[in-house]
């Protein structure tokens, strides 16, 4: 029997240049692996606000943005208003409430006066208690009358069924606040009802 010829490796590994010329994708990641020291240095460096100057600039930008939003809210600019105050109908309600006098504006100061007087003079305590509840009833009656008038106006302006949900509560909360404390600030003068 004849001896078998030793097998030789006939497979040739093509070089990277030959593979690229043939259209095959490149091997490897295309950059050297970073050393451990380089990776640790990258992890130590902060991603945002690397320097104190950057942090100071970011704080100044944030302060400017907040101030701009505060002024925008006070002036009633639509983009700075919270969701409950947005929209043409809410602006109409605000303007209507701000154009009229309401019991709610004077109720809070009068309640404080009644409370102080009733604490100072115990003989008038019962009378002050009755007067406080009388003002609460007047306030609620005034709010209902205002809401009914507003509903009639809104229906005439935007059509039937267009009254936004929560309008009565919006009227009540707006009327209860003293005029100079309202946000957004009143945009109309007394008696200047919206059309």
């Amino acid at each position: 029997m004849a001896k078998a010829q030793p097998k030789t490796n006939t497979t040739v590994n093509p070089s990277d240049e030959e593979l690229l010329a043939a259209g095959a994708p490149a091997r490897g990641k295309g950059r050297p692996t970073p050393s451990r020291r380089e990776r640790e240095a990258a992890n130590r460096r902060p991603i945002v606000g690397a320097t104190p100057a950057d942090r100071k600039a970011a704080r100044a930008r944030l302060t400017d943005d907040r101030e701009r939003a505060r002024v925008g809210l006070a002036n009633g600019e639509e983009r700075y208003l919270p969701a409950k105050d947005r929209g043409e109908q809410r602006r109409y309600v605000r303007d209507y409430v701000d154009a009229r006098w309401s019991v709610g504006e004077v109720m809070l100061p009068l309640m404080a006066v009644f409370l102080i007087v009733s604490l100072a003079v115990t003989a008038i305590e019962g009378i002050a208690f009755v007067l406080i509840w009388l003002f609460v009833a007047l306030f609620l009656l005034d709010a209902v009358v205002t809401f009914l008038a507003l509903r009639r106006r809104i229906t005439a302006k935007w059509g039937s069924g267009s009254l936004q949900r929560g309008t009565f509560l919006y009227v009540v909360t707006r009327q209860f606040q003293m005029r100079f404390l309202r946000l957004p600030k009143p945009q109309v003068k007394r008696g200047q009802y919206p059309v």
Side-chain angles (χ1 to χ4, degrees):
M1 277 200 113
K3 282 189 164 180
Q5 292 288 334
K7 293 187 179 180
T8 59
N9 190 359
T10 57
T11 322
V12 177
N13 290 335
S15 68
D16 288 340
E17 290 83 19
E18 292 171 348
L19 284 173
L20 287 174
R27 286 189 274 185
K29 61 186 172 221
R31 59 180 169 74
T33 302
S35 69
R36 181 175 185 154
R37 181 179 292 170
E38 292 169 344
R39 286 181 299 179
E40 286 175 352
N43 287 340
R44 257 184 263 127
R45 195 174 62 237
I47 296 172
V48 178
T51 65
D54 290 342
R55 286 192 296 272
K56 189 174 182 179
R59 208 169 26 249
R61 266 194 315 276
L62 185 62
T63 302
D64 290 344
D65 290 345
R66 284 182 180 159
E67 180 63 20
R68 202 172 15 259
R70 186 188 67 76
V71 170
L73 172 64
N75 292 335
E77 293 178 34
E78 194 73 20
R79 68 184 222 189
Y80 295 114
L81 294 177
K84 70 177 181 71
D85 293 324
R86 286 193 185 142
E88 189 179 350
Q89 199 175 108
R90 291 292 195 211
R91 178 177 294 279
Y92 187 85
V93 170
R94 278 195 309 271
D95 289 347
Y96 186 82
V97 169
D98 293 339
R100 63 188 302 275
W101 286 94
S102 65
V103 177
E105 292 178 55
V106 296
M107 189 170 88
L108 198 59
L110 282 177
M111 287 176 88
V113 168
F114 288 152
L115 182 66
I116 292 169
V117 168
S118 69
L119 290 174
V121 183
T122 55
I124 330 177
E125 187 175 333
I127 297 170
F129 184 73
V130 170
L131 287 175
I132 287 174
W133 280 108
L134 179 67
F135 267 101
V136 170
L138 282 173
F139 167 68
L140 289 176
L141 181 67
D142 186 38
V144 168
V145 167
T146 304
F147 173 71
L148 292 175
L150 260 170
R151 186 173 66 178
R152 202 170 35 253
R153 285 171 161 245
I154 288 172
T155 302
K157 184 169 180 152
W158 283 287
S160 179
S162 63
L163 187 68
Q164 281 183 336
R165 188 177 165 153
T167 302
F168 178 71
L169 189 60
Y170 193 69
V171 167
V172 168
T173 56
R174 187 88 179 164
Q175 275 190 331
F176 186 67
Q177 298 167 342
M178 289 181 277
R179 186 176 167 89
F180 67 92
L181 293 176
R182 294 176 183 167
L183 273 180
K185 297 282 184 199
Q187 304 295 313
V188 295
K189 294 179 180 171
R190 301 265 190 204
Q192 189 181 355
Y193 291 95
V195 180

